[in-house]
Every structure is written in structure tokens, then in C-alpha cells.
Amino acid sequence: EHLVLESYVCPKFDAVYHFNGSYGIIEFIPKSKDNNLYRNQLMLQIARKSSSKIISADGFEEAANIVAQAVKTISKSSRVKIYQFLEDYSGKIIAEARDDHMPSFLGLVFPAGDIPIQARALMLKSPVRCCWNTNDHTSDLLLLDESMAEDLDLTWSLLRGPSKLHTQYLRNMKINSTLTISLIDNGKLWGFIACHRDNEDYISYDLWPILHDI
């Protein structure tokens, strides 16, 4: 479980802590440019109204479209797509909300290899993942004890870098940052919601719980 430390200590970052085995990891996650309390309260209201609309939707397709639009509004993403895994783990985009300048992926089917088995396993363990920047900017880990490096497990690290193949894949789509929310049904990965941004901002950590609970 991730715990948010007192954010006033670092007004430009959320300091997030989690314990893994015999050691703890603290991550300093940058806040979005528009981060403020009023924004968060407004986004929470939008999430609650959207949840009510989802419950009263006439069918699955309408409910999925409501989810996509709500997530886009809250995250201020350029495009939000809902991706459903098929039996062979290929996937289909079943709902989408996007800015006018973004190409549509609605109805497209992607091969299973686009989301390999290792990535799917990680999506089950850690259901919300973010790539703050697709330009492969990385930072060194600061270890209090160098012996920790041998068995350091970054499975639940929020700032864990994605593979360079994945970031190249995103750059080919002209995406600067992403947030992915796993959709899990009875312990099985059903699909996911992908938020894409083509600008230099990103989705703040404080919005993740709101998006996850829609």
C-alpha cells in the first residue's frame, strides 16, 4: 500500500512511501501545474456525477462512453481509450474520448504482442501505472545501503520506468505521457483505461484515486 507523506514539506512534489520486504521506498512525484485543492474538489464532484450516470446507463456501450469522457475531463488528457482484452489477449478499443486533433482508435484491434505477458502480470499487481515522460529521462536510485541493490524490487514503484520499446511505441503515436488504469474482473485482467497526453504536462498523483474509483 502506498502512503502519501505530508505534501506541505515538498509543495512541488507528492512524497509517496511504500514498504517492500525489508526496506522502504520513498518517491518524489512532481505535481501537475494546475494542482490545487479547488481543482481536486471539482474533479471529485465530476466523478460522483459520472458514477451516477454510469449506474443509470441504458447499456454497457453507453456506460463505457460515460467512463471515457469522465476520465478525460478529470485527467485533462488528449485522448482516453478503453481497451478490452479478447480471449487470445489481443485487444479492442471499445470506447474513446479525445480532442479533435487526436486521431481516433475506436474499434481498432491490436495484437496480443502489444501487451506482452510480463506487462499484463504487472498490471494485475499494480493497477495504476504512469509514464510521466516518454523521452526516456531516467534518474539514479539513491540507496541508504548499497547492498540493497542486489534484491531491490521495483514492482510497486510508481516511478518505475517502462521499457524503451514501450516509450518508442508511445512516441510513434506522438504521446508525451500516459496513465493506465487496469480493469480487473474476478481477479482476471479484463482490460484497461489508457490516458494519453500529447503536451508537456502530466496527471498528478492526487488525481489517481479519483480516476480509479469512477
Side-chain angles (χ1 to χ4, degrees):
E1 182 180 357
H2 293 89
L3 301 175
V4 181
L5 305 180
E6 296 294 345
S7 59
Y8 66 80
V9 176
C10 301
K12 293 185 178 181
F13 295 87
D14 283 313
V16 182
Y17 171 84
H18 76 274
F19 191 73
N20 190 355
S22 61
Y23 52 83
I25 295 178
I26 300 176
E27 301 177 84
F28 293 91
I29 300 177
K31 292 184 177 180
S32 178
K33 297 172 185 176
D34 62 353
N35 181 285
N36 60 73
L37 181 59
Y38 171 75
R39 185 280 312 261
N40 291 359
Q41 291 174 340
L42 178 61
M43 295 303 105
L44 187 57
Q45 291 176 10
I46 293 173
R48 288 171 176 167
K49 290 180 180 178
S50 299
S51 295
S52 298
K53 291 179 180 178
I54 292 166
I55 293 172
S56 59
D58 289 336
F60 179 80
E61 183 178 350
E62 181 181 347
N65 286 325
I66 293 170
V67 171
Q69 186 58 58
V71 171
K72 182 182 183 304
T73 300
I74 293 170
S75 66
K76 292 187 176 181
S77 296
S78 307
R79 176 176 52 228
V80 168
K81 60 182 184 178
I82 298 182
Y83 185 105
Q84 180 183 4
F85 286 111
L86 305 179
E87 288 188 7
D88 63 352
Y89 283 105
S90 59
K92 182 178 181 180
I93 309 303
I94 63 168
E96 180 184 68
R98 61 186 175 87
D99 291 341
D100 291 340
H101 70 280
M102 298 293 287
S104 175
F105 291 162
L106 185 62
L108 295 184
V109 176
F110 295 84
D114 279 15
I115 316 290
I117 188 170
Q118 301 94 328
R120 298 198 300 268
L122 187 59
M123 292 171 75
L124 269 175
K125 291 181 179 180
S126 184
V128 183
R129 307 289 301 181
C130 189
C131 173
W132 268 265
N133 192 303
T134 60
N135 292 321
D136 293 327
H137 294 161
T138 58
S139 299
D140 293 334
L141 291 169
L142 177 62
L143 303 177
L144 296 180
D145 183 348
E146 291 297 328
S147 64
M148 295 169 54
E150 295 183 3
D151 60 351
L152 187 61
D153 184 354
L154 296 180
T155 297
W156 292 274
S157 174
L158 301 176
L159 293 175
R160 180 179 183 268
S163 74
K164 292 186 186 270
L165 284 175
H166 182 58
T167 51
Q168 182 62 59
Y169 182 91
L170 294 170
R171 288 197 299 273
N172 290 344
M173 293 194 293
K174 303 187 184 306
I175 299 302
N176 187 73
S177 64
T178 67
L179 179 74
T180 304
I181 305 168
S182 302
L183 300 174
I184 300 170
D185 181 31
N186 291 322
K188 183 178 179 181
L189 188 63
W190 181 92
F192 60 89
I193 302 173
C195 306
H196 292 165
R197 278 194 171 186
D198 63 347
N199 55 37
E200 295 184 355
D201 205 1
Y202 39 80
I203 302 169
S204 289
Y205 177 75
D206 59 306
L207 286 179
W208 293 17
I210 297 175
L211 294 168
H212 188 259
D213 290 341
I214 291 178

